[in-house]
Amino acid sequence: MMQLMFLLFLAAQVSAKGPSTFYVAPDGNDKNPGTKSQPFATIQKAQTHIHPGDTVYLRGGTYRLTDADITRSIRLYACVSLLDKSGDPGKYLNYFAYPGETPVFNYEAVKPKDQRVAAFYVTGSYIHLKGFEVTGVQVTIKTHTQSECFENHGSNNIYENLRMHDGMAIGFYLLEGSDNLILNCDAYRNFDYYSENGRGGNTDGFGCHPAAGSKGNVFRECRAWFNSDDGYDVINSHEATTFDHCWSFYNGYTPDFTSEGDGNGFKGGGFGSRPADQIPDPVPQTTVRFCLAVHNKASGFYSNHHITGSFWYNNTAYRNHIDFNMLNRLADNRTDVPGYKHVLENNLGYKGGSELANIDTSACHLKNNSFQLSTEPTEDDFISLDEAQLTKARNPDGSLPGITLLHPRAGSPFASMGCFPAATPATAATSATAASPATADNAWIPEIEQKPGANSRVYQNGDALIIDTKGGATVWYNKKLTGNFRIDYDRTILIDTGSNDRLSDCNQFWMAGDPHNPNLFTRTGKLEDYNNVDLYYVGMGGNTNKTTRFRKYGGGARTLIKEYLDAAHLLQKNRKYHITITVSNGTTAFLVDGSPWFTYTDPTPLTSGYFGFRSTWSRQMIKNFTVTQLP
């Protein structure tokens, strides 16, 4: 009995232990304990020690890999770093660059005979890779082949602020796995001059080709340039992929603009020469939104013989051979036809060899695109055409640099179009960053106020929803709520080094509905756009953290129910607030950390509507969002 009690005590001690930290360095040794002063030499060794929630810091410097570092061969691949260990939800296995340092993994000496090279072959899930470079990955096979810097087969992984460059391999490649986020990554100057005809026809910046069931993969704020084939490619996909605020330029060329592979900016589908009975049913539809394609050899945005349409929202194309090429095929996967079932809204093309090609406009939905106007853009419609801005250094948080290239001038007839709109029509069917049509798979619908030069975005980072905007933003939960229910979530106003950090406006709407339009999601993110919406509204720390107020909107009135001005009811930076909202039989309550701040029995209660997170100019993190139906 005493032995059992001791074992239970020991288990409790182990389970109570906090996350551990390990270190890897170019001058490390795998016989070391992996401490800061005695680091490991390889990520592979570090993986044997970590558990969910732990972090491996990669020290700066160059790691020169050789064939001796190959961990295992899988299929045709020589896998150098094989990450096959998984974290847990909310407890990722973290492989991070040490703060302020840049680790560079060089694979020039990894040349296994008759094998493809995978620098990082990832089969685990809940893994977060951040802040390092992969360079010099080789191709050693003369026939049709490829190598990869990162190949993903796991789910819920985050690839953040990674640079894959100056090699012969595809930067990032996904075949399996769901809900992966590829965030703030760059793939550039990758060219396979060895295999086949030496033209680099298989070396894309980013390739996403998910198998059946591998859903929800998102590429956000990535850049691809001077890759010898395409910037982004989703050929042979069984599930849909989303590209959000990504840039693609100079693909299909070497840095001296020698013509090489295909050279499309965004290749949005297609199934090559597959027999018709091998085409997935339903055929996936790619979403490309707020993306930029500049001077790619072939098309900026290309449907690639796909067997249905895709969703193209607020994209800008400039100086591509064809800016928007919507070529489709019939279900036989043999017969090319003009594009059908495409949705194109708010797209902007300028100075392409052709602006729009291979499309049956009568079989597609087109709205507010530059190629629909009788007037063509001119240089005067843009603030800048300086392409040197495309390769500017990223912001300290890894986000895309602020640029003025291809920003329409306010007042231009094209001001509401493209990936840098100066204005967004209040009647637009989709918001400034809301993307695909509202579906059960699209849980959040963001509406973001666009401001010139601002870097505003809403994205998922692991299990957190991040609102990082310079202007107003509403992020709607895409499910109408009725009856009695309870909403819970954790919310933090982040104050650190972000460009939009500001202690203000932890706000929320609920029971929201537009009495004049059944489609609520038609606004631009400006607060005044919601004046005619019926809703309840709590603004915590409004007016630059001076007030906390509860209002009811209705009939154009914004009735103030209650207000706090004391410090106890204002915001604190980086504090996690647990917020609860209840609606029950005509009474709604708003609680913070279990304390009721507002309770209101409404004589004319709102009985159904949508919930939305609301902010103006701040960076916020939201976790653990739940909705519970009450009796």
Side-chain angles (χ1 to χ4, degrees):
M1 183 67 179
M2 290 296 294
Q3 183 180 15
L4 176 61
M5 290 180 63
F6 173 75
L7 291 173
L8 290 173
F9 172 77
L10 181 62
Q13 292 296 102
V14 171
S15 64
K17 179 178 176 291
S20 298
T21 302
F22 299 94
Y23 296 84
V24 176
D27 59 353
N29 190 314
D30 280 348
K31 295 181 180 180
N32 286 341
T35 61
K36 189 173 184 180
S37 60
Q38 293 181 290
F40 297 130
T42 66
I43 289 176
Q44 205 64 42
K45 181 65 176 181
Q47 182 184 225
T48 65
H49 286 260
I50 60 174
H51 298 91
D54 290 351
T55 296
V56 176
Y57 278 121
L58 310 174
R59 300 305 302 264
T62 299
Y63 298 74
R64 299 192 182 279
L65 289 304
T66 70
D67 286 358
D69 294 297
I70 295 171
T71 299
R72 189 186 307 169
S73 293
I74 300 178
R75 305 186 347 263
L76 297 174
Y77 284 91
C79 306
V80 183
S81 291
L82 173 61
L83 301 184
D84 55 358
K85 196 171 186 179
S86 295
D88 291 327
K91 293 184 177 180
Y92 279 67
L93 300 181
N94 301 308
Y95 299 89
F96 291 172
Y98 188 79
E101 298 181 0
T102 303
V104 179
F105 292 85
N106 187 301
Y107 294 81
E108 291 176 349
V110 180
K111 297 182 178 181
K113 184 178 179 181
D114 298 326
Q115 285 188 290
R116 299 178 175 188
V117 177
F120 286 82
Y121 194 93
V122 182
T123 61
S125 298
Y126 293 101
I127 296 170
H128 191 170
L129 304 167
K130 182 178 180 180
F132 56 91
E133 300 184 17
V134 172
T135 186
V137 179
Q138 300 293 296
V139 167
T140 63
I141 300 173
K142 272 292 187 182
T143 55
H144 182 77
T145 189
Q146 64 191 52
S147 291
E148 288 101 38
C149 298
F150 295 90
E151 181 169 326
N152 182 86
H153 294 265
S155 296
N156 298 288
N157 293 324
I158 302 172
Y159 298 83
E160 181 179 3
N161 199 20
L162 304 170
R163 285 184 281 176
M164 302 80 72
H165 62 94
D166 294 295
M168 302 168 71
I170 296 168
F172 177 89
Y173 191 69
L174 183 148
L175 291 177
E176 297 175 292
S178 297
D179 300 312
N180 296 288
L181 175 64
I182 300 85
L183 174 67
N184 296 339
C185 293
D186 288 340
Y188 55 97
R189 295 195 302 264
N190 296 300
F191 172 32
D192 169 14
Y193 54 81
Y194 186 80
S195 69
E196 294 186 289
N197 61 5
R199 299 287 298 277
N202 219 26
T203 308
D204 301 319
F206 298 88
C208 190
H209 317 280
S214 296
K215 299 182 178 182
N217 295 298
V218 176
F219 293 74
R220 179 168 288 122
E221 295 207 29
C222 295
R223 294 186 293 189
W225 71 96
F226 283 132
N227 298 291
S228 57
D229 202 38
D230 302 310
Y232 302 83
D233 187 353
V234 297
I235 193 172
N236 292 324
S237 294
H238 284 250
E239 302 291 353
T241 298
T242 296
F243 297 98
D244 178 30
H245 287 78
C246 292
W247 299 356
S248 187
F249 47 102
Y250 309 154
N251 294 293
Y253 296 112
T254 59
D256 63 359
F257 285 97
T258 300
S259 175
E260 298 298 346
D262 286 353
N264 297 287
F266 294 85
K267 184 181 280 184
F271 296 96
S273 58
R274 286 192 177 193
D277 61 1
Q278 294 182 16
I279 305 303
D281 182 17
V283 176
Q285 294 178 277
T286 304
T287 295
V288 184
R289 65 197 191 201
F290 288 85
C291 290
L292 175 66
V294 175
H295 195 183
N296 294 287
K297 172 186 164 183
S299 299
F301 298 93
Y302 183 33
S303 183
N304 191 39
H305 315 273
H306 202 45
I307 306 179
T308 190
S310 296
F311 302 107
W312 314 87
Y313 298 112
N314 281 89
N315 301 299
T316 297
Y318 176 55
R319 293 207 311 129
N320 305 283
H321 179 63
I322 300 174
D323 277 347
F324 294 89
N325 186 348
M326 298 292 107
L327 182 66
N328 281 157
R329 275 185 182 166
L330 298 180
D332 62 6
N333 199 32
R334 292 292 181 271
T335 309
D336 286 342
V337 295
Y340 56 90
K341 294 187 178 180
H342 290 288
V343 176
L344 295 105
E345 294 188 2
N346 308 322
N347 296 291
L348 173 59
Y350 179 48
K351 280 195 173 181
S354 298
E355 296 305 333
L356 178 67
N358 299 310
I359 186 168
D360 179 356
T361 57
S362 67
C364 298
H365 169 82
L366 283 77
K367 182 177 180 179
N368 195 46
N369 301 289
S370 63
F371 36 77
Q372 292 179 269
L373 300 186
S374 58
T375 303
E376 294 185 358
T378 69
E379 185 173 345
D380 293 337
D381 286 302
F382 299 97
I383 295 174
S384 172
L385 296 177
D386 177 16
E387 295 179 34
Q389 297 180 29
L390 291 167
T391 54
K392 283 179 62 176
R394 288 179 171 270
N395 294 321
D397 64 355
S399 59
L400 288 169
I403 65 173
T404 57
L405 170 71
L406 294 166
H407 283 242
R409 295 184 185 276
S412 164
F414 308 97
S416 62
M417 302 173 188
C419 59
F420 307 114
T424 304
T427 57
T430 56
S431 65
T433 60
S436 46
T439 67
D441 292 332
N442 188 12
W444 299 101
I445 304 293
E447 297 175 334
I448 300 179
E449 179 183 1
Q450 295 298 305
K451 293 192 172 184
N455 184 23
S456 296
R457 57 193 179 132
V458 173
Y459 62 97
Q460 187 174 347
N461 188 355
D463 58 348
L465 180 70
I466 306 296
I467 303 174
D468 185 3
T469 63
K470 186 66 175 287
T474 302
V475 184
W476 295 109
Y477 178 54
N478 187 23
K479 182 178 180 181
K480 194 170 188 177
L481 303 177
T482 61
N484 298 334
F485 58 87
R486 169 178 172 151
I487 300 173
D488 287 274
Y489 50 93
D490 297 322
R491 194 167 180 181
T492 305
I493 310 300
L494 302 173
I495 304 294
D496 189 6
T497 60
S499 60
N500 296 325
D501 289 8
R502 176 173 172 263
L503 189 62
S504 187
D505 294 294
C506 178
N507 307 336
Q508 35 272 306
F509 295 153
W510 68 99
M511 306 305 279
D514 187 338
H516 309 291
N517 186 349
N519 181 13
L520 178 64
F521 312 129
T522 61
R523 290 162 173 82
T524 69
K526 295 180 181 179
L527 182 60
E528 55 267 31
D529 287 352
Y530 304 90
N531 286 347
N532 62 348
V533 177
D534 296 340
L535 55 81
Y536 299 117
Y537 176 31
V538 165
M540 290 176 60
N543 301 302
T544 318
N545 204 28
K546 295 183 177 68
T547 63
T548 291
R549 293 169 173 167
F550 175 37
R551 295 182 183 270
K552 180 184 178 182
Y553 283 29
R558 300 184 301 134
T559 305
L560 179 63
I561 307 299
K562 190 172 182 179
E563 177 183 59
Y564 293 107
L565 302 176
D566 59 299
H569 290 89
L570 299 178
L571 296 171
Q572 298 176 28
K573 66 180 182 180
N574 300 318
R575 172 182 167 181
K576 181 179 76 174
Y577 295 93
H578 182 78
I579 295 174
T580 302
I581 297 170
T582 61
V583 173
S584 181
N585 300 322
T587 297
T588 188
F590 182 89
L591 297 84
V592 178
D593 295 327
S595 175
W597 284 19
F598 303 107
T599 302
Y600 178 54
T601 300
D602 191 346
T604 56
L606 303 175
T607 57
S608 67
Y610 289 89
F611 171 86
F613 294 111
R614 174 72 194 167
S615 177
T616 60
W617 189 6
S618 64
R619 183 166 62 100
Q620 307 189 12
M621 178 173 66
I622 298 148
K623 290 187 174 183
N624 303 317
F625 178 86
T626 61
V627 178
T628 306
Q629 208 70 37
L630 300 177

